[in-house]
Amino acid sequence: MVSVVLAGGGTAGHTSPLIATAEQLRRLDPHVSLLCVGTPKGLEKRVIPEAGLELRLIPAVPLPRKPGRALLSVPGRLLGAVRQARALLHEAHADVVVGFGGYVSMPVYLAAWSARIPVVLHEQNALPGVANRVASHFAAAVLTSFPDTPLRSARQVGLPVRAAIAGLAEQGRASLRARAREHFGLRSDQPVLLVSGGSSGARSLNTATCEARDELLAHGIQILHVLGLKNFHDDPAVTDPATGAGYHPLGYLDEMDLAYAAADLMLARSGAGTVVETAVVGLPAILVPLPIGNGEQARNARPLVEAQAGIVVEDRELTGRRLVTEVVPLITDAARLQAMGAAAQRVMPPGAAQRVARIVVEEARR
């Protein structure tokens, strides 16, 4: 029996591909032993057990951005976390470690290296994090979502996505469109713009959408708007009396596969998960990179833009007027939407979770 330890957490960007890979490992080998490692502060504390996976916790050891006492304490805290991680690997009789980044990954990577357990790492973003940069120097396999990710010996395999998204990619969005639109109360005879800034929402996307709402509805364009729970305050649905197009606000959405199936075009941030999921299912997107950080969201969007499969609008340039000028001619051009969707799927072919799972099993049995 193969024993696999999976490490990753903090955000959905780390936990979603972890869960997707675990699902495929079980399909590949029903007898596989799986143990997930996270930290007490991350999203993994909820979503990994909900996925039916065993989760063990070790302390998070973030690296402070500025010198000070916190930085001086890092070596001692990291050593303690590595010791706990090594005990978990020993307890699990781990044959291989799979890491997806985040604060938890560094101690687990170092514990595996010291115990001579092979490491398979996966980097979701076009620009890698610290833990994956370090581990790439000793990992047995270095896997990436995007081409040209600057990691040693990297090979692009795509981003493992949830079974529902993978299934949508295989079936095609058109096969679920009628059911998806009925689910959200959308009309079947008008185009749909899906807007989402992620689970927390995005202020600039929300503001621009609300500014453009009435004009988009007047053009017969329906809007499915996921504002984020903290931004949703019983926002009323609106229907244009002339065209019948509706504005459908939501606080949060679990069924993103249905939303992708219902939509003709998406307005979104260019986090790795969103870029890959929309590309895998062939949904054209207008991407608005987060203007802070290390520029990874702009890098994430670049392959789609270069393939003419997506459009980038800078955050500072996103207004209601700009949104109308981008959306109206595009969403009403069926041939262009189809070409963009096909190009996106060539950039991000489906099946990444299966590819990662096969590599993990190969390394475990090597």
Side-chain angles (χ1 to χ4, degrees):
M1 179 177 68
V2 172
S3 176
V4 182
V5 173
L6 303 100
T11 67
H14 299 305
T15 58
S16 293
L18 183 155
I19 292 169
T21 300
E23 290 174 345
Q24 287 302 320
L25 284 167
R26 280 179 170 165
R27 291 181 182 180
L28 196 61
D29 181 357
H31 303 293
V32 68
S33 172
L34 300 176
L35 175 67
C36 302
V37 184
T39 73
K41 298 182 179 180
L43 182 70
E44 62 270 23
K45 198 174 177 183
R46 175 177 63 85
V47 298
I48 288 179
E50 285 179 355
L53 296 165
E54 182 181 0
L55 175 67
R56 303 288 290 276
L57 304 176
I58 63 174
V61 188
L63 184 64
R65 296 182 181 274
K66 297 180 180 179
R69 286 185 179 180
L71 183 59
L72 294 175
S73 70
V74 166
R77 290 187 292 120
L78 181 58
L79 181 59
V82 170
R83 286 172 176 161
Q84 291 187 42
R86 184 159 179 169
L88 289 177
L89 297 181
H90 178 75
E91 180 184 333
H93 302 287
D95 295 305
V96 63
V97 163
V98 193
F100 296 88
Y103 293 143
V104 70
S105 291
M106 181 73 86
V108 179
Y109 288 152
L110 295 176
W113 173 75
S114 67
R116 298 187 179 181
I117 298 169
V119 170
V120 175
L121 70 84
H122 185 281
E123 175 56 52
Q124 296 84 56
N125 289 292
L127 289 178
V130 173
N132 282 351
R133 288 205 303 269
V134 170
S136 68
H137 291 278
F138 57 80
V142 178
L143 313 178
T144 67
S145 299
F146 295 92
D148 304 320
T149 299
L151 282 175
R152 185 177 181 178
S153 303
R155 47 177 158 158
Q156 183 194 9
V157 295
L159 180 69
V161 296
R162 293 161 290 166
I165 303 299
L168 179 63
E170 291 174 5
Q171 297 173 51
R173 289 185 300 114
S175 66
L176 292 178
R177 181 168 294 132
R179 180 166 73 85
R181 292 195 174 184
E182 183 180 359
H183 177 81
F184 293 113
L186 297 162
R187 293 176 53 151
S188 62
D189 60 341
Q190 292 177 324
V192 175
L193 172 68
L194 170 63
V195 180
S196 176
S199 58
S200 298
R203 181 181 299 176
S204 58
L205 272 64
N206 290 345
T207 300
T209 300
C210 291
E211 290 174 354
R213 182 191 67 188
D214 291 347
E215 191 167 350
L216 291 174
L217 297 181
H219 279 89
I221 299 168
Q222 305 176 91
I223 306 169
L224 183 60
H225 188 180
V226 186
L227 292 108
L229 285 173
K230 66 180 181 181
N231 307 308
F232 184 76
H233 307 288
D234 295 324
D235 297 63
V238 176
T239 301
D240 184 277
T243 65
Y247 170 75
H248 303 261
L250 298 167
Y252 181 74
L253 184 59
D254 281 322
E255 311 96 335
M256 282 306 295
D257 56 316
L258 290 180
Y260 292 152
D264 297 285
L265 177 67
M266 184 171 186
L267 173 69
R269 287 291 189 206
S270 51
T274 300
V275 170
V276 172
E277 286 188 356
T278 54
V280 162
V281 303
L283 175 62
I286 298 172
L287 301 167
V288 186
L290 191 68
I292 59 175
N294 62 1
E296 67 183 27
Q297 289 209 354
R299 286 281 296 267
N300 291 345
R302 189 179 300 168
L304 295 187
V305 174
E306 291 176 348
Q308 298 185 335
I311 296 170
V312 164
V313 175
E314 297 297 332
D315 190 83
R316 65 179 180 276
E317 298 173 0
L318 184 65
T319 63
R321 171 49 40 197
R322 177 67 182 275
L323 187 57
V324 169
T325 60
E326 293 286 353
V327 169
V328 173
L330 176 55
I331 205 168
T332 54
D333 188 340
R336 187 181 174 195
L337 288 177
Q338 184 175 8
M340 289 177 69
Q345 287 187 305
R346 287 193 293 272
V347 174
M348 294 289 172
Q354 294 94 320
R355 288 189 285 275
V356 174
R358 283 195 295 269
I359 292 168
V360 170
V361 172
E362 288 171 4
E363 292 300 335
R365 292 174 174 169
R366 193 179 297 277

